[in-house]
Amino acid sequence: MKKVLVLITMLATLTACSSVKKNDINLQEKYKVDTVAMKNWEETFSKVIVGESELEDWYGADQPISFLARNQKLDQKQVKFLDSLKTKGDITEADQEQFNAILEKTVKKLPRQYYLKDENFKDPAGLAKYMVTQSYIRMANPSNHIANEVATKEEWAEIVAFSKKDDLTEKEIKRFRKLLNKFIKRGEFFDSKTWYFVEVSPRIVEVNDMYKKAEKTKIEKNNVNAKALYLAYSEYFSKLEKWDD
């Protein structure tokens, strides 16, 4: 009984600390972006991007500015303007408008729709073995949930067949990837109680918070499940931010 109470307390605490809902207001007003903040634009952009991202993977987790540059979400002309503010004496109203326009446009480019590429597998044969082995555990877990509630009998039979091999061919890896990408498009893929078998953490709470939203966009539906798939089998995949979109 004590263990149950401790678990409930942990979940309540994590939920309370989960991401704050975003407000539909001007970003400069919301984040109190003044002229000093505009001159220190890298720090300001990082703060806003982190604050506006429902998934940290949308912005590359630890280094938002590097992510923007790497994924061409900020072009050279925009960066040149932003850098010019660092040494500019007076920031004009036109500068503020241009700064805010770039900031708004950048935030709008953040959402991505994740799906697996063949290269995102670290050990596909090992993953198949792990999924099948885990599915036999009596306690609810992602693998038996997928086997019983998400995959068709024929689809799960394919994964079982993969699990019996020491290595998979390119054709089999492609098929395995397609199966997993099919699964994350299905509404029943994520189940919070089942995923707490993996870990009780802010990462699971974050996914659960998105899942509980009454109305989710197509991207949100896909990404909730993609993040859940990654968390369930993270040692077998590259980081979610490296998945295709």
Side-chain angles (χ1 to χ4, degrees), residues 105-150:
K105 189 175 181 179
T106 302
V107 167
K108 287 179 181 178
K109 289 182 179 179
L110 289 176
R112 306 169 59 195
Q113 185 166 326
Y114 296 100
Y115 60 89
L116 281 166
K117 297 181 294 185
D118 292 352
E119 309 90 88
N120 297 134
F121 283 110
K122 289 183 179 179
D123 179 10
L127 173 59
K129 286 182 175 64
Y130 180 80
M131 290 178 71
V132 172
T133 300
Q134 190 184 63
S135 72
Y136 294 138
I137 297 175
R138 296 181 67 178
M139 185 180 296
N141 63 69
S143 296
N144 55 38
H145 175 72
I146 291 171
N148 299 324
E149 304 295 335
V150 182

Side-chain angles (χ1 to χ4, degrees), residues 53-67:
S53 298
E54 292 186 90
L55 288 174
E56 66 176 16
D57 312 88
W58 278 1
Y59 62 83
D62 298 327
Q63 298 179 320
I65 300 302
S66 296
F67 170 78

